[in-house]
mmCIF file of all heavy atoms in Angstrom:
data_model
loop_
_atom_site.group_PDB
_atom_site.id
_atom_site.type_symbol
_atom_site.label_atom_id
_atom_site.label_comp_id
_atom_site.label_asym_id
_atom_site.label_seq_id
_atom_site.Cartn_x
_atom_site.Cartn_y
_atom_site.Cartn_z
ATOM 1 N N GLN Q 1 71.849 65.813 45.627
ATOM 2 C CA GLN Q 1 72.236 64.922 44.538
ATOM 3 C C GLN Q 1 71.215 64.976 43.406
ATOM 4 O O GLN Q 1 70.022 65.159 43.641
ATOM 5 C CB GLN Q 1 72.356 63.484 45.042
ATOM 6 C CG GLN Q 1 73.454 63.310 46.091
ATOM 7 C CD GLN Q 1 73.653 61.859 46.484
ATOM 8 O OE1 GLN Q 1 73.361 60.970 45.699
ATOM 9 N NE2 GLN Q 1 74.138 61.636 47.682
ATOM 10 N N LEU Q 2 71.724 64.809 42.187
ATOM 11 C CA LEU Q 2 70.868 64.779 41.009
ATOM 12 C C LEU Q 2 70.867 63.362 40.452
ATOM 13 O O LEU Q 2 71.886 62.871 39.967
ATOM 14 C CB LEU Q 2 71.376 65.763 39.953
ATOM 15 C CG LEU Q 2 70.519 65.902 38.694
ATOM 16 C CD1 LEU Q 2 69.139 66.447 39.046
ATOM 17 C CD2 LEU Q 2 71.200 66.801 37.669
ATOM 18 N N HIS Q 3 69.729 62.687 40.557
ATOM 19 C CA HIS Q 3 69.628 61.312 40.081
ATOM 20 C C HIS Q 3 69.358 61.263 38.579
ATOM 21 O O HIS Q 3 68.722 62.166 38.026
ATOM 22 C CB HIS Q 3 68.484 60.580 40.799
ATOM 23 C CG HIS Q 3 68.766 60.274 42.238
ATOM 24 N ND1 HIS Q 3 69.819 59.501 42.641
ATOM 25 C CD2 HIS Q 3 68.123 60.656 43.370
ATOM 26 C CE1 HIS Q 3 69.816 59.407 43.965
ATOM 27 N NE2 HIS Q 3 68.801 60.102 44.427
ATOM 28 N N GLN Q 4 69.831 60.189 37.965
ATOM 29 C CA GLN Q 4 69.443 59.940 36.581
ATOM 30 C C GLN Q 4 67.952 59.611 36.544
ATOM 31 O O GLN Q 4 67.385 59.154 37.537
ATOM 32 C CB GLN Q 4 70.230 58.755 36.012
ATOM 33 C CG GLN Q 4 71.713 59.034 35.779
ATOM 34 C CD GLN Q 4 72.405 57.815 35.192
ATOM 35 O OE1 GLN Q 4 72.231 56.697 35.659
ATOM 36 N NE2 GLN Q 4 73.183 58.034 34.151
ATOM 37 N N PRO Q 5 67.283 59.826 35.408
ATOM 38 C CA PRO Q 5 65.865 59.450 35.304
ATOM 39 C C PRO Q 5 65.668 57.974 35.625
ATOM 40 O O PRO Q 5 66.552 57.142 35.384
ATOM 41 C CB PRO Q 5 65.540 59.742 33.836
ATOM 42 C CG PRO Q 5 66.536 60.775 33.424
ATOM 43 C CD PRO Q 5 67.784 60.452 34.186
ATOM 44 N N ARG Q 6 64.498 57.640 36.180
ATOM 45 C CA ARG Q 6 64.216 56.270 36.600
ATOM 46 C C ARG Q 6 64.397 55.273 35.452
ATOM 47 O O ARG Q 6 64.974 54.208 35.628
ATOM 48 C CB ARG Q 6 62.793 56.178 37.157
ATOM 49 C CG ARG Q 6 62.369 54.757 37.530
ATOM 50 C CD ARG Q 6 60.973 54.744 38.107
ATOM 51 N NE ARG Q 6 60.958 55.383 39.411
ATOM 52 C CZ ARG Q 6 61.235 54.737 40.544
ATOM 53 N NH1 ARG Q 6 61.545 53.449 40.525
ATOM 54 N NH2 ARG Q 6 61.198 55.363 41.693
ATOM 55 N N ASN Q 7 63.903 55.622 34.256
ATOM 56 C CA ASN Q 7 64.007 54.670 33.140
ATOM 57 C C ASN Q 7 65.455 54.392 32.758
ATOM 58 O O ASN Q 7 65.798 53.277 32.348
ATOM 59 C CB ASN Q 7 63.214 55.179 31.923
ATOM 60 C CG ASN Q 7 63.757 56.500 31.382
ATOM 61 O OD1 ASN Q 7 64.218 57.350 32.144
ATOM 62 N ND2 ASN Q 7 63.684 56.689 30.081
ATOM 63 N N VAL Q 8 66.330 55.378 32.919
ATOM 64 C CA VAL Q 8 67.753 55.186 32.624
ATOM 65 C C VAL Q 8 68.379 54.251 33.656
ATOM 66 O O VAL Q 8 69.129 53.324 33.315
ATOM 67 C CB VAL Q 8 68.498 56.536 32.604
ATOM 68 C CG1 VAL Q 8 70.003 56.312 32.443
ATOM 69 C CG2 VAL Q 8 67.966 57.419 31.475
ATOM 70 N N ARG Q 9 68.063 54.480 34.924
ATOM 71 C CA ARG Q 9 68.618 53.631 35.984
ATOM 72 C C ARG Q 9 68.113 52.189 35.869
ATOM 73 O O ARG Q 9 68.880 51.235 36.046
ATOM 74 C CB ARG Q 9 68.234 54.198 37.359
ATOM 75 C CG ARG Q 9 69.056 55.418 37.767
ATOM 76 C CD ARG Q 9 68.616 55.958 39.113
ATOM 77 N NE ARG Q 9 67.402 56.750 39.003
ATOM 78 C CZ ARG Q 9 66.443 56.779 39.914
ATOM 79 N NH1 ARG Q 9 66.531 56.023 40.991
ATOM 80 N NH2 ARG Q 9 65.386 57.541 39.752
ATOM 81 N N GLU Q 10 66.840 52.033 35.541
ATOM 82 C CA GLU Q 10 66.292 50.686 35.394
ATOM 83 C C GLU Q 10 66.922 49.958 34.211
ATOM 84 O O GLU Q 10 67.195 48.758 34.287
ATOM 85 C CB GLU Q 10 64.769 50.759 35.232
ATOM 86 C CG GLU Q 10 64.049 51.138 36.514
ATOM 87 C CD GLU Q 10 62.531 51.088 36.378
ATOM 88 O OE1 GLU Q 10 62.044 50.595 35.334
ATOM 89 O OE2 GLU Q 10 61.846 51.527 37.317
ATOM 90 N N LYS Q 11 67.180 50.691 33.123
ATOM 91 C CA LYS Q 11 67.806 50.060 31.955
ATOM 92 C C LYS Q 11 69.231 49.607 32.273
ATOM 93 O O LYS Q 11 69.664 48.517 31.873
ATOM 94 C CB LYS Q 11 67.808 51.015 30.766
ATOM 95 C CG LYS Q 11 68.290 50.354 29.456
ATOM 96 C CD LYS Q 11 68.178 51.296 28.280
ATOM 97 C CE LYS Q 11 68.530 50.567 26.977
ATOM 98 N NZ LYS Q 11 69.832 49.892 27.014
ATOM 99 N N ARG Q 12 69.977 50.419 32.998
ATOM 100 C CA ARG Q 12 71.335 50.028 33.409
ATOM 101 C C ARG Q 12 71.278 48.748 34.234
ATOM 102 O O ARG Q 12 72.089 47.833 34.059
ATOM 103 C CB ARG Q 12 71.992 51.141 34.222
ATOM 104 C CG ARG Q 12 72.431 52.345 33.405
ATOM 105 C CD ARG Q 12 72.936 53.458 34.307
ATOM 106 N NE ARG Q 12 74.005 52.989 35.182
ATOM 107 C CZ ARG Q 12 74.289 53.537 36.359
ATOM 108 N NH1 ARG Q 12 73.575 54.542 36.819
ATOM 109 N NH2 ARG Q 12 75.270 53.062 37.079
ATOM 110 N N PHE Q 13 70.317 48.697 35.150
ATOM 111 C CA PHE Q 13 70.143 47.546 36.036
ATOM 112 C C PHE Q 13 69.827 46.273 35.240
ATOM 113 O O PHE Q 13 70.494 45.245 35.394
ATOM 114 C CB PHE Q 13 69.016 47.878 37.019
ATOM 115 C CG PHE Q 13 68.603 46.749 37.925
ATOM 116 C CD1 PHE Q 13 69.472 46.219 38.862
ATOM 117 C CD2 PHE Q 13 67.314 46.239 37.859
ATOM 118 C CE1 PHE Q 13 69.075 45.190 39.713
ATOM 119 C CE2 PHE Q 13 66.904 45.219 38.689
ATOM 120 C CZ PHE Q 13 67.784 44.688 39.620
ATOM 121 N N THR Q 14 68.816 46.346 34.375
ATOM 122 C CA THR Q 14 68.405 45.153 33.616
ATOM 123 C C THR Q 14 69.432 44.773 32.555
ATOM 124 O O THR Q 14 69.614 43.582 32.259
ATOM 125 C CB THR Q 14 67.025 45.371 32.973
ATOM 126 O OG1 THR Q 14 67.026 46.579 32.206
ATOM 127 C CG2 THR Q 14 65.945 45.445 34.046
ATOM 128 N N ASP Q 15 70.134 45.754 31.983
ATOM 129 C CA ASP Q 15 71.166 45.445 30.977
ATOM 130 C C ASP Q 15 72.296 44.614 31.584
ATOM 131 O O ASP Q 15 72.779 43.650 30.978
ATOM 132 C CB ASP Q 15 71.746 46.735 30.389
ATOM 133 C CG ASP Q 15 70.832 47.363 29.332
ATOM 134 O OD1 ASP Q 15 69.820 46.725 28.976
ATOM 135 O OD2 ASP Q 15 71.142 48.483 28.877
ATOM 136 N N VAL Q 16 72.727 44.999 32.777
ATOM 137 C CA VAL Q 16 73.810 44.263 33.448
ATOM 138 C C VAL Q 16 73.371 42.832 33.746
ATOM 139 O O VAL Q 16 74.128 41.873 33.543
ATOM 140 C CB VAL Q 16 74.234 44.985 34.747
ATOM 141 C CG1 VAL Q 16 75.136 44.089 35.588
ATOM 142 C CG2 VAL Q 16 74.941 46.287 34.424
ATOM 143 N N ILE Q 17 72.137 42.680 34.238
ATOM 144 C CA ILE Q 17 71.626 41.349 34.558
ATOM 145 C C ILE Q 17 71.506 40.491 33.311
ATOM 146 O O ILE Q 17 71.950 39.331 33.282
ATOM 147 C CB ILE Q 17 70.264 41.464 35.278
ATOM 148 C CG1 ILE Q 17 70.462 42.074 36.667
ATOM 149 C CG2 ILE Q 17 69.588 40.089 35.394
ATOM 150 C CD1 ILE Q 17 69.181 42.371 37.396
ATOM 151 N N HIS Q 18 70.931 41.055 32.242
ATOM 152 C CA HIS Q 18 70.752 40.290 31.005
ATOM 153 C C HIS Q 18 72.099 39.886 30.420
ATOM 154 O O HIS Q 18 72.296 38.749 29.975
ATOM 155 C CB HIS Q 18 69.967 41.127 29.990
ATOM 156 C CG HIS Q 18 69.313 40.309 28.928
ATOM 157 N ND1 HIS Q 18 68.167 40.684 28.281
ATOM 158 C CD2 HIS Q 18 69.646 39.097 28.382
ATOM 159 C CE1 HIS Q 18 67.821 39.761 27.406
ATOM 160 N NE2 HIS Q 18 68.710 38.797 27.449
ATOM 161 N N SER Q 19 73.040 40.809 30.428
ATOM 162 C CA SER Q 19 74.380 40.522 29.902
ATOM 163 C C SER Q 19 75.066 39.406 30.690
ATOM 164 O O SER Q 19 75.681 38.504 30.116
ATOM 165 C CB SER Q 19 75.227 41.794 29.955
ATOM 166 O OG SER Q 19 76.563 41.524 29.596
ATOM 167 N N THR Q 20 74.942 39.452 32.003
ATOM 168 C CA THR Q 20 75.573 38.436 32.865
ATOM 169 C C THR Q 20 74.974 37.055 32.600
ATOM 170 O O THR Q 20 75.696 36.059 32.470
ATOM 171 C CB THR Q 20 75.391 38.812 34.342
ATOM 172 O OG1 THR Q 20 75.936 40.107 34.576
ATOM 173 C CG2 THR Q 20 76.070 37.798 35.245
ATOM 174 N N ILE Q 21 73.639 37.000 32.529
ATOM 175 C CA ILE Q 21 72.956 35.724 32.285
ATOM 176 C C ILE Q 21 73.296 35.176 30.905
ATOM 177 O O ILE Q 21 73.517 33.967 30.728
ATOM 178 C CB ILE Q 21 71.432 35.907 32.438
ATOM 179 C CG1 ILE Q 21 71.086 36.178 33.905
ATOM 180 C CG2 ILE Q 21 70.682 34.660 31.953
ATOM 181 C CD1 ILE Q 21 69.638 36.548 34.133
ATOM 182 N N SER Q 22 73.389 36.065 29.919
ATOM 183 C CA SER Q 22 73.706 35.642 28.542
ATOM 184 C C SER Q 22 75.079 34.995 28.451
ATOM 185 O O SER Q 22 75.335 34.179 27.572
ATOM 186 C CB SER Q 22 73.625 36.843 27.596
ATOM 187 O OG SER Q 22 72.328 37.378 27.557
ATOM 188 N N GLN Q 23 75.964 35.368 29.369
ATOM 189 C CA GLN Q 23 77.315 34.801 29.388
ATOM 190 C C GLN Q 23 77.427 33.593 30.320
ATOM 191 O O GLN Q 23 78.527 33.134 30.620
ATOM 192 C CB GLN Q 23 78.308 35.884 29.811
ATOM 193 C CG GLN Q 23 78.382 37.069 28.849
ATOM 194 C CD GLN Q 23 79.258 38.183 29.376
ATOM 195 O OE1 GLN Q 23 80.473 38.023 29.524
ATOM 196 N NE2 GLN Q 23 78.650 39.331 29.676
ATOM 197 N N GLY Q 24 76.268 33.122 30.798
ATOM 198 C CA GLY Q 24 76.262 31.946 31.662
ATOM 199 C C GLY Q 24 76.473 32.253 33.125
ATOM 200 O O GLY Q 24 76.678 31.334 33.933
ATOM 201 N N GLY Q 25 76.414 33.510 33.499
ATOM 202 C CA GLY Q 25 76.663 33.889 34.887
ATOM 203 C C GLY Q 25 75.409 33.912 35.736
ATOM 204 O O GLY Q 25 74.296 33.655 35.270
ATOM 205 N N ARG Q 26 75.613 34.200 37.004
ATOM 206 C CA ARG Q 26 74.525 34.353 37.962
ATOM 207 C C ARG Q 26 74.638 35.721 38.618
ATOM 208 O O ARG Q 26 75.739 36.254 38.757
ATOM 209 C CB ARG Q 26 74.561 33.252 39.024
ATOM 210 C CG ARG Q 26 74.309 31.848 38.474
ATOM 211 C CD ARG Q 26 74.480 30.794 39.569
ATOM 212 N NE ARG Q 26 74.116 29.466 39.113
ATOM 213 C CZ ARG Q 26 74.907 28.654 38.434
ATOM 214 N NH1 ARG Q 26 76.139 29.053 38.116
ATOM 215 N NH2 ARG Q 26 74.488 27.454 38.067
ATOM 216 N N VAL Q 27 73.529 36.255 39.063
ATOM 217 C CA VAL Q 27 73.516 37.596 39.653
ATOM 218 C C VAL Q 27 73.020 37.518 41.095
ATOM 219 O O VAL Q 27 71.952 36.965 41.364
ATOM 220 C CB VAL Q 27 72.601 38.547 38.853
ATOM 221 C CG1 VAL Q 27 72.611 39.939 39.481
ATOM 222 C CG2 VAL Q 27 73.044 38.621 37.394
ATOM 223 N N LEU Q 28 73.808 38.052 41.996
ATOM 224 C CA LEU Q 28 73.410 38.158 43.407
ATOM 225 C C LEU Q 28 73.167 39.634 43.720
ATOM 226 O O LEU Q 28 74.032 40.475 43.481
ATOM 227 C CB LEU Q 28 74.497 37.607 44.329
ATOM 228 C CG LEU Q 28 74.811 36.107 44.196
ATOM 229 C CD1 LEU Q 28 75.975 35.737 45.115
ATOM 230 C CD2 LEU Q 28 73.585 35.279 44.539
ATOM 231 N N ILE Q 29 72.006 39.946 44.271
ATOM 232 C CA ILE Q 29 71.656 41.331 44.571
ATOM 233 C C ILE Q 29 71.411 41.470 46.078
ATOM 234 O O ILE Q 29 70.418 40.942 46.591
ATOM 235 C CB ILE Q 29 70.381 41.765 43.805
ATOM 236 C CG1 ILE Q 29 70.569 41.521 42.294
ATOM 237 C CG2 ILE Q 29 70.070 43.225 44.074
ATOM 238 C CD1 ILE Q 29 69.306 41.766 41.484
ATOM 239 N N PRO Q 30 72.285 42.153 46.801
ATOM 240 C CA PRO Q 30 72.096 42.309 48.259
ATOM 241 C C PRO Q 30 71.091 43.415 48.575
ATOM 242 O O PRO Q 30 71.441 44.477 49.068
ATOM 243 C CB PRO Q 30 73.503 42.662 48.738
ATOM 244 C CG PRO Q 30 74.099 43.401 47.581
ATOM 245 C CD PRO Q 30 73.541 42.767 46.331
ATOM 246 N N ALA Q 31 69.834 43.165 48.272
ATOM 247 C CA ALA Q 31 68.778 44.158 48.516
ATOM 248 C C ALA Q 31 68.205 43.934 49.910
ATOM 249 O O ALA Q 31 67.295 43.141 50.097
ATOM 250 C CB ALA Q 31 67.689 44.030 47.458
ATOM 251 N N PHE Q 32 68.757 44.630 50.891
ATOM 252 C CA PHE Q 32 68.385 44.372 52.283
ATOM 253 C C PHE Q 32 67.166 45.165 52.731
ATOM 254 O O PHE Q 32 66.532 44.817 53.722
ATOM 255 C CB PHE Q 32 69.558 44.691 53.215
ATOM 256 C CG PHE Q 32 70.035 46.105 53.137
ATOM 257 C CD1 PHE Q 32 69.473 47.077 53.945
ATOM 258 C CD2 PHE Q 32 71.044 46.473 52.261
ATOM 259 C CE1 PHE Q 32 69.903 48.388 53.884
ATOM 260 C CE2 PHE Q 32 71.476 47.788 52.188
ATOM 261 C CZ PHE Q 32 70.912 48.745 52.993
ATOM 262 N N ALA Q 33 66.840 46.244 52.027
ATOM 263 C CA ALA Q 33 65.694 47.068 52.433
ATOM 264 C C ALA Q 33 64.410 46.466 51.881
ATOM 265 O O ALA Q 33 64.298 46.214 50.687
ATOM 266 C CB ALA Q 33 65.873 48.500 51.944
ATOM 267 N N LEU Q 34 63.452 46.267 52.766
ATOM 268 C CA LEU Q 34 62.237 45.532 52.407
ATOM 269 C C LEU Q 34 61.503 46.147 51.216
ATOM 270 O O LEU Q 34 61.196 45.477 50.238
ATOM 271 C CB LEU Q 34 61.311 45.455 53.607
ATOM 272 C CG LEU Q 34 60.140 44.475 53.509
ATOM 273 C CD1 LEU Q 34 60.640 43.058 53.325
ATOM 274 C CD2 LEU Q 34 59.269 44.574 54.746
ATOM 275 N N GLY Q 35 61.234 47.450 51.264
ATOM 276 C CA GLY Q 35 60.504 48.086 50.173
ATOM 277 C C GLY Q 35 61.275 48.085 48.870
ATOM 278 O O GLY Q 35 60.720 47.854 47.786
ATOM 279 N N ARG Q 36 62.593 48.332 48.941
ATOM 280 C CA ARG Q 36 63.432 48.354 47.746
ATOM 281 C C ARG Q 36 63.466 46.978 47.081
ATOM 282 O O ARG Q 36 63.459 46.858 45.859
ATOM 283 C CB ARG Q 36 64.856 48.788 48.113
ATOM 284 C CG ARG Q 36 64.977 50.215 48.592
ATOM 285 C CD ARG Q 36 64.855 51.210 47.431
ATOM 286 N NE ARG Q 36 64.894 52.588 47.904
ATOM 287 C CZ ARG Q 36 66.008 53.263 48.133
ATOM 288 N NH1 ARG Q 36 67.182 52.673 47.962
ATOM 289 N NH2 ARG Q 36 65.955 54.519 48.517
ATOM 290 N N ALA Q 37 63.531 45.948 47.886
ATOM 291 C CA ALA Q 37 63.584 44.585 47.337
ATOM 292 C C ALA Q 37 62.305 44.266 46.554
ATOM 293 O O ALA Q 37 62.355 43.660 45.481
ATOM 294 C CB ALA Q 37 63.777 43.577 48.468
ATOM 295 N N LYS Q 38 61.152 44.683 47.091
ATOM 296 C CA LYS Q 38 59.883 44.475 46.381
ATOM 297 C C LYS Q 38 59.908 45.184 45.031
ATOM 298 O O LYS Q 38 59.466 44.652 44.012
ATOM 299 C CB LYS Q 38 58.718 45.005 47.221
ATOM 300 C CG LYS Q 38 58.427 44.185 48.472
ATOM 301 C CD LYS Q 38 57.698 42.897 48.128
ATOM 302 C CE LYS Q 38 57.186 42.197 49.374
ATOM 303 N NZ LYS Q 38 58.244 41.691 50.245
ATOM 304 N N GLU Q 39 60.437 46.389 45.005
ATOM 305 C CA GLU Q 39 60.485 47.163 43.766
ATOM 306 C C GLU Q 39 61.396 46.493 42.733
ATOM 307 O O GLU Q 39 61.055 46.404 41.551
ATOM 308 C CB GLU Q 39 60.971 48.586 44.073
ATOM 309 C CG GLU Q 39 61.076 49.498 42.870
ATOM 310 C CD GLU Q 39 59.739 49.876 42.252
ATOM 311 O OE1 GLU Q 39 58.682 49.546 42.828
ATOM 312 O OE2 GLU Q 39 59.743 50.509 41.176
ATOM 313 N N LEU Q 40 62.542 46.004 43.173
ATOM 314 C CA LEU Q 40 63.460 45.324 42.254
ATOM 315 C C LEU Q 40 62.824 44.069 41.663
ATOM 316 O O LEU Q 40 62.991 43.769 40.473
ATOM 317 C CB LEU Q 40 64.761 44.960 42.979
ATOM 318 C CG LEU Q 40 65.662 46.128 43.391
ATOM 319 C CD1 LEU Q 40 66.892 45.620 44.129
ATOM 320 C CD2 LEU Q 40 66.084 46.945 42.183
#
């Protein structure tokens, strides 16, 4: 697999969260892996 660059993936992630919050929403992230959750 060819992943998108890290900065692109992080921007997609934060853009979705910011957009949701701006519209009055809440974000639930099922980050079950211990190391991944710390990174997020």
